[in-house]
Amino acid sequence: MEEFYSNGKLLLTGEYAILDGAKGLALPTKFGQHLKIKHSKTGILNWRSLNETNTVWFSADFQIDKLKLLSTSDEDIAQRLRTILNEAKHLNPTFLNQYNGCFVDSELTFPRVWGLGSSSTLINNIANWAKINPYQLLDATFGGSGYDIACASHNRPIVYHKNNLIPNFDEVAFKPEFLDHLFFIYLNQKKNSRDAIDAYRKLEFNKIDLVIGVNEITEQIIECTRLSDFETLLNMHENLLSKTLKIPTIKEQLFKDYTGSLKSLGAWGGDFILATGNIQKMEYFKNKGYTTILNYTDIIL
């Protein structure tokens, strides 16, 4: 059996602006996705996607030589998967040639709705399986900045940016003493990243100023040693993006009376936010119905 694994991700700084070359502090997570492949002699690629409870949520069967879809539990997802597999074969024409058939299981270790990278971990796993460049496969399928692909194969925080479309990343020692005051809270709804990217692309603003502002904040956050300074930088980042996106910050929208700092992570309006505080302060969010709350060390590698 062949097996591959990719880490999930959270983007602490640089959301949206990272698409235009800004530096983002990206955090690989302890959650991710496995890809397991077993040979068969059926002439069929039998695909199953399983969630964190080991329950099959999607399945599809393809004729392995031409990747013709034979049957599936979801036509739309099957066609997207077929596109990914075909692009992988385009990038490496020998991909799948050694198989007379195979059983493939893609197994998440986190709930799909969390937005930790069910797509990016899949892309990275398939790229590793096909022995191709994962960034090229991403560009040919889902698109995006690629920071999530970098997180998939790194076990420490990274600073990521694209320079002339070329991914650049460096591992950093981001481990301030106040990590136990950082919490990730799920907003009970998943945001579609592709829709958010499309909306961002339609905005008119000074991209150079945004990139410079985000870069300065990212660099200062990496060196930050005091929680109060860290909170000030989070607030600056939120205000900068709020002005660019013309969207109120998450604190203004939902948590005006929260005494700590809050920051959206990734596409605004869904998935996780970062909150500063202590375990007692997290009762504020639980009382509002936000019960998925993870401490930094519970989720980040």
Side-chain angles (χ1 to χ4, degrees):
M1 183 175 74
E2 298 169 83
E3 183 171 354
F4 304 92
Y5 177 79
S6 294
N7 301 321
K9 50 69 184 178
L10 282 169
L11 187 61
L12 187 59
T13 70
E15 71 273 13
Y16 294 100
I18 202 169
L19 295 164
D20 291 312
K23 294 179 181 179
L25 177 56
L27 309 173
T29 69
K30 294 179 179 179
F31 300 99
Q33 187 164 200
H34 297 270
L35 188 70
K36 301 176 181 178
I37 305 103
K38 294 181 181 178
H39 284 257
S40 71
K41 298 180 180 180
T42 62
I44 297 172
L45 189 159
N46 303 101
W47 183 285
R48 298 192 308 170
S49 295
L50 298 90
N51 63 20
E52 80 284 2
T53 65
N54 209 37
T55 302
V56 176
W57 62 269
F58 165 74
S59 62
D61 296 332
F62 301 91
Q63 184 180 322
I64 198 161
D65 55 350
K66 297 181 180 179
L67 290 175
K68 178 183 177 182
L69 179 62
L70 303 175
S71 64
T72 183
S73 62
D74 189 306
E75 183 78 22
D76 290 341
I77 296 175
Q79 291 299 342
R80 286 200 295 272
L81 175 59
R82 183 172 181 268
T83 296
I84 296 169
L85 294 172
N86 272 320
E87 288 295 343
K89 197 163 179 61
H90 174 74
L91 291 167
N92 176 9
T94 67
F95 175 49
L96 297 178
N97 287 358
Q98 72 271 38
Y99 295 90
N100 294 317
C102 59
F103 296 99
V104 183
D105 281 354
S106 191
E107 304 172 0
L108 286 169
T109 67
F110 59 89
R112 291 171 59 212
V113 295
W114 277 11
L116 295 184
S118 54
S119 297
S120 57
T121 52
L122 175 66
I123 290 291
N124 196 65
N125 281 338
I126 290 177
N128 288 334
W129 179 24
K131 296 179 174 60
I132 58 176
N133 186 316
Y135 297 97
Q136 291 182 320
L137 185 58
L138 179 72
D139 287 342
T141 53
F142 291 103
S145 70
Y147 86 87
D148 44 6
I149 297 297
C151 284
S153 55
H154 285 79
N155 295 324
R156 294 180 62 186
I158 59 173
V159 173
Y160 178 95
H161 75 284
K162 262 191 169 182
N163 184 10
N164 293 325
L165 302 180
I166 299 172
N168 290 268
F169 43 84
D170 295 294
E171 291 188 353
V172 293
F174 180 72
K175 203 168 184 179
E177 294 182 358
F178 52 79
L179 285 185
D180 58 343
H181 291 277
L182 305 183
F183 294 83
F184 296 99
I185 300 161
Y186 180 60
L187 291 181
N188 298 337
Q189 60 179 352
K190 192 179 189 307
K191 190 74 173 179
N192 187 305
S193 298
R194 281 169 289 175
D195 290 346
I197 289 172
D198 288 343
Y200 170 77
R201 289 297 193 202
K202 294 175 182 176
L203 296 173
E204 293 185 7
F205 60 92
N206 190 316
K207 292 181 179 179
I208 295 176
D209 285 351
L210 176 63
V211 169
I212 290 173
V214 168
N215 285 353
E216 290 176 351
I217 294 171
T218 296
E219 290 164 3
Q220 290 180 60
I221 278 182
I222 294 167
E223 301 297 329
C224 203
T225 58
R226 296 193 305 177
L227 180 60
S228 59
D229 295 336
F230 183 77
E231 291 177 320
T232 297
L233 292 166
L234 291 186
N235 297 340
M236 290 171 59
H237 197 295
E238 282 287 275
N239 292 332
L240 178 59
L241 265 294
S242 175
K243 181 180 178 181
T244 300
L245 300 173
K246 297 179 174 59
I247 299 174
T249 66
I250 195 65
K251 190 166 188 176
E252 291 170 331
Q253 291 182 56
L254 298 176
F255 310 112
K256 287 183 179 180
D257 55 342
Y258 183 65
T259 56
S261 291
L262 301 176
K263 186 184 179 303
S264 293
L265 306 172
W268 280 33
D271 300 337
F272 280 87
I273 60 171
L274 174 69
T276 63
N278 54 38
I279 195 66
Q280 290 76 25
K281 280 190 173 183
M282 295 306 106
E283 293 299 319
Y284 170 92
F285 299 99
K286 291 180 182 177
N287 292 336
K288 288 182 172 289
Y290 302 96
T291 56
T292 300
I293 301 173
L294 301 170
N295 183 260
Y296 185 100
T297 54
D298 292 331
I299 187 172
I300 304 301
L301 282 170

